[in-house]
Every structure is written in C-alpha cells, then in structure tokens.
C-alpha cells in the first residue's frame, strides 16, 4: 500500500528562523502533492501544491521542493512566525486518485 | 464566499447507536470527499463523490459506514451500530475539478461511549 512518512514529528523553532518539514513517499507514479496546515479544532488548510513536472514552487514565505528521484518532498517556511504554529501534513495523489496523508509535523514557534 | 461546512461540530453517542454527519460543500464543487482523522494521525480517505454517485468508496472500513449525495451537493455520512473505535474527527472536503486542491470543512468530532 501507499506509505507517506513525514519527519520530524515535532519541530520547535525560534521566531524568525526558517522551518523545514520533510516527506518521503513510496509510489513513484504519484504526480501531485499538497501541503496542508491544520490548527487545533479546524480542518486542514491548503498551503501550496506541486506537480511532478516541477521540482520547486514558491508561495508567500513557503517553498516546496520535490525530488522525484529519491521520492522526497519538503516544505520550507521562511521567517517563521507565531501564527505558523500548527500541525502540517503532506498529501500525495496516488494513481488510484486517492489522497494519502503523512502523519503530520507539529510546529511550535517560540516568540 | 462560504467554505465547506459540517454539522454537527460535535456528536456524542452510545455504542450501538446510529449517527448521521452532514457536509455542505463549496457551491459549484462537483467533487466531495469524506475522511476520518484519528488523534495524532493524518486524514484517511473514506469515500469520494463525483456529482451524485460514489466514484470510489474503497476507504469505507466496513458495511456499517454508508454515504449519500442525492442531489450532487450536500452529503451525509451514515454510521450504523457505532463502535467505540469509530470515535474520530470526520472531515469533509470538496474540490472542482476533482483531484485538485481540496478545501476542508472544520470536521465533526464523534465520540462513541
């Protein structure tokens, strides 16, 4: 079956520092990936996505990198702010058109 | 515009009871998904609707779980003979077109005593 491993499971960073969250996926045929932010008591919120024909995509303070060779995906958050504190999930769209989610990374930003 | 809404926000029931969870997707979104999220885990796929039909229900854990979307908009997830292991947050998401960015609702927190 599909396997999406996410690490670290918890991350604490100082306000203003950069944060990096990683995902390793198993299905080399997966071609669409999304990063979500989930705050306590809320549903996941879309942050940024990337397709397999790209290796980098940037948004506002966020960058997603995709390395298809090693099946690795990362989310970089620049100048992390207290409002970035949340649980972050990566999700891959597999060949069966189902989204598989990682186990999540709990990010805590220290003011 | 309005996002995805889910009702109730919380549901407490007793083992063996029947529950219905409702999802109102974003207006015009043809695709609707149900997920289940256990504590400390990522969402797990349950079922996907394209329009009124269940295009993929392979994630439903057993035949106690059933979902409908009779008019292609609102969907109801139905759980019969609830078990304590069904306790989780049930999330609904919608998108248009399908398999693009999914917009999630706030979830329904189900607790089976």
């Amino acid at each position: 079956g599909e396997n999406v491993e996410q690490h670290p499971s918890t991350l604490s960073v100082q306000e203003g520092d950069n944060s990096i969250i990683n995902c390793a996926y198993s299905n080399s045929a997966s071609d669409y990936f999304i990063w979500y932010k989930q705050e306590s008591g809320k549903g996941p919120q879309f942050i940024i996505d990337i397709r397999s024909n790209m290796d980098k995509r940037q948004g506002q303070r966020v960058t997603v990198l995709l390395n298809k060779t090693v099946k690795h995906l990362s989310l970089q958050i620049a100048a992390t702010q207290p409002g970035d504190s949340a649980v972050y999930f990566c999700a891959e769209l597999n060949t069966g058109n189902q989204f598989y989610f990682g186990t999540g990374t709990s990010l805590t930003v220290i003011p | 515009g309005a996002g995805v809404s889910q009702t109730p926000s919380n549901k407490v029931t007793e083992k063996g009871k029947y529950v219905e969870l409702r999802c109102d997707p974003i207006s015009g979104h043809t695709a609707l998904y149900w997920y289940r999220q256990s504590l400390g885990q990522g969402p797990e796929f349950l079922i996907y609707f394209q329009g009124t039909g269940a295009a993929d229900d392979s994630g439903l854990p057993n035949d106690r779980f059933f979902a409908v979307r009779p008019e292609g908009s609102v969907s109801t997830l139905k759980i019969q003979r609830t078990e304590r292991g069904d306790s989780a947050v049930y999330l609904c998401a919608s998108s248009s077109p399908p398999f693009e960015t999914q917009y999630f609702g706030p979830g329904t927190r189900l607790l089976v005593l």
Side-chain angles (χ1 to χ4, degrees), chain B residues 28-62:
Chain B
H29 279 193
T30 57
L32 185 147
Y33 313 79
W34 283 99
Y35 291 86
R36 180 167 68 175
Q37 186 174 27
S38 300
L39 192 63
Q41 301 295 317
E44 293 179 291
F45 170 81
L46 294 176
I47 187 170
Y48 151 61
F49 287 89
Q50 177 57 34
T52 60
D56 183 352
D57 64 357
S58 62
L60 295 177
N62 52 59

Side-chain angles (χ1 to χ4, degrees), chain A residues 2-109:
Chain A
E2 302 289 335
N3 189 29
V4 181
E5 295 184 358
Q6 196 169 331
H7 59 96
S9 56
T10 60
L11 178 63
S12 292
V13 300
Q14 207 71 35
E15 181 178 359
D17 287 350
N18 296 335
S19 303
I20 299 177
I21 302 171
N22 302 285
C23 270
Y25 60 96
S26 60
N27 189 344
S28 58
S30 295
D31 62 2
Y32 182 48
F33 304 87
I34 303 177
W35 282 99
Y36 287 94
K37 172 186 180 183
Q38 187 173 27
E39 297 175 284
S40 181
K42 298 183 179 180
Q45 177 187 4
F46 171 86
I47 301 173
I48 192 168
D49 60 0
I50 190 167
R51 296 198 178 274
S52 59
N53 61 352
M54 304 174 70
D55 53 19
K56 180 179 180 179
R57 193 163 188 219
Q58 290 183 288
Q60 186 177 12
R61 289 198 301 115
V62 294
T63 300
V64 55
L65 300 178
L66 177 62
N67 185 329
K68 294 179 289 296
T69 302
V70 296
K71 292 179 283 187
H72 182 268
L73 182 73
S74 69
L75 175 70
Q76 302 178 10
I77 305 173
T80 316
Q81 302 171 359
D84 296 329
S85 293
V87 178
Y88 290 79
F89 292 98
C90 61
E92 63 155 357
L93 181 65
N94 73 355
T95 50
N97 287 325
Q98 292 182 7
F99 280 98
Y100 279 84
F101 284 74
T103 50
T105 296
S106 178
L107 173 65
T108 301
V109 181

